[in-house]
């Protein structure tokens, strides 16, 4: 089992290299001049040119990319153009709210969606199955920000069960931390729950039609044992796949959710950096998100090997 895992670890190196080229190229080709942003509206052309020279903006693409890649290898993401704060420090200040939001959303989605999918497959073509499918279609159809505003309107402003906006750090206590994240996690997780539930239902229906499941029923095994011990284990690969793919949805959704609920995470930092054309911050966050996504996919591949030892890379 260790050989395929080592193979996958080695394979992420060229992937990260390509990701670094894409991230740098996207901002290199983006219209706009950071020197003008730093210099301000009253700066002369000479002032702007001095800033461009100091930042190395007059160098060629390869020179700038090689210099940037060397800094990244030393975990130096540069400084923010707007306030001079190191990008690593800015990311460290904002990463806890985003990771907390994504962690709770994934836990909520898996805990709710997998049993829903199993139930829908076990009760196929019944009212329970149709209710699960109706929920999945509805959750897919409503944007995250609308769900967020509706939840905030009823559960925060009217019932006052949860705070409307903001974030409480984990160091201030688990309960305040949890209360601030319940509504954002539900708003962000509904689409994810719908996606996992649909995939779980489809994978379970395929497995439940296999001969060994009929044999298990003929032997008189209990339904719960057949569903969760035999069928769900063999249907787990597609479910694990969609959980990994869904991380990309979470990263994109976190940007919107943090804006709706006023959470000072990486999503808010990304929006502020884009509005101010703070290129080092944008590059640092994009690279971090890309690395997390690659890492999650690596973990998914390792899960394949663990769940089904016949799989080889």
């Amino acid at each position: 089992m260790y050989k395929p895992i080592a193979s996958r670890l080695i394979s992420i190196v060229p992937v990260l290299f390509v990701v670094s080229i894409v991230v740098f190229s996207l901002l290199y080709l983006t219209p706009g001049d950071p020197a003008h942003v730093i210099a301000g509206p009253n700066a002369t052309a000479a002032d702007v040119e001095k800033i461009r020279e100091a930042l190395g903006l007059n160098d060629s693409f390869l020179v700038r990319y090689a210099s940037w890649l060397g800094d990244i290898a030393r975990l130096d993401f540069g400084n923010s153009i707007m306030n001079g704060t190191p990008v690593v420090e800015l990311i460290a200040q904002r990463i806890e709210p985003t990771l907390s939001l994504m962690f709770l959303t994934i836990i909520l989605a898996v805990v709710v969606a997998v049993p829903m999918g199993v139930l829908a497959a076990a009760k196929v073509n019944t009212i329970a199955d149709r209710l699960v499918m109706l929920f999945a279609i509805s959750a897919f159809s409503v944007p995250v920000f609308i769900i967020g505003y509706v939840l905030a309107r009823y559960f925060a402003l009217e019932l006052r069960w949860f705070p409307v906006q903001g974030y409480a750090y984990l160091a201030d206590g688990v309960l305040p931390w949890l209360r601030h994240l319940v509504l954002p996690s539900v708003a962000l997780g509904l689409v994810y729950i719908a996606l996992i539930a649909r995939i779980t239902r489809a994978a379970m229906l395929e497995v439940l039609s296999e001969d060994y499941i009929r044999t298990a029923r003929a032997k008189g095994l209990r339904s719960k044992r057949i569903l969760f011990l035999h069928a769900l284990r063999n249907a787990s690969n597609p479910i694990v796949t969609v959980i990994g793919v869904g991380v990309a949805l979470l990263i994109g959704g976190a940007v919107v959710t943090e804006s709706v609920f006023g959470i000072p995470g990486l999503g808010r930092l990304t929006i502020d950096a884009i509005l101010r054309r703070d290129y080092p911050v944008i590059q640092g966050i994009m690279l971090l998100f890309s690395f997390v996504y690659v890492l999650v996919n690596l973990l998914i591949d390792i899960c394949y090997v663990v769940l089904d030892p016949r799989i080889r890379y």
Side-chain angles (χ1 to χ4, degrees), residues 201-238:
R201 176 183 180 274
M204 286 291 292
L205 284 176
E206 184 177 347
V207 172
L208 289 175
S209 64
E210 297 286 342
D211 291 338
Y212 71 91
I213 295 294
R214 283 192 287 271
T215 303
R217 285 174 175 156
K219 288 182 176 179
L221 294 181
R222 290 184 301 171
S223 296
K224 288 183 180 178
R225 183 180 176 86
I226 294 173
L227 284 174
F228 290 98
L229 188 62
H230 297 282
L232 185 57
R233 178 183 174 84
N234 289 296
S236 57
N237 278 355

Side-chain angles (χ1 to χ4, degrees), residues 28 52-53 55-64:
Y28 182 84
R52 289 184 60 82
E53 193 66 32
L55 294 176
L57 298 178
N58 291 327
D59 296 333
S60 65
F61 174 85
L62 289 178
V63 172
R64 289 175 59 184

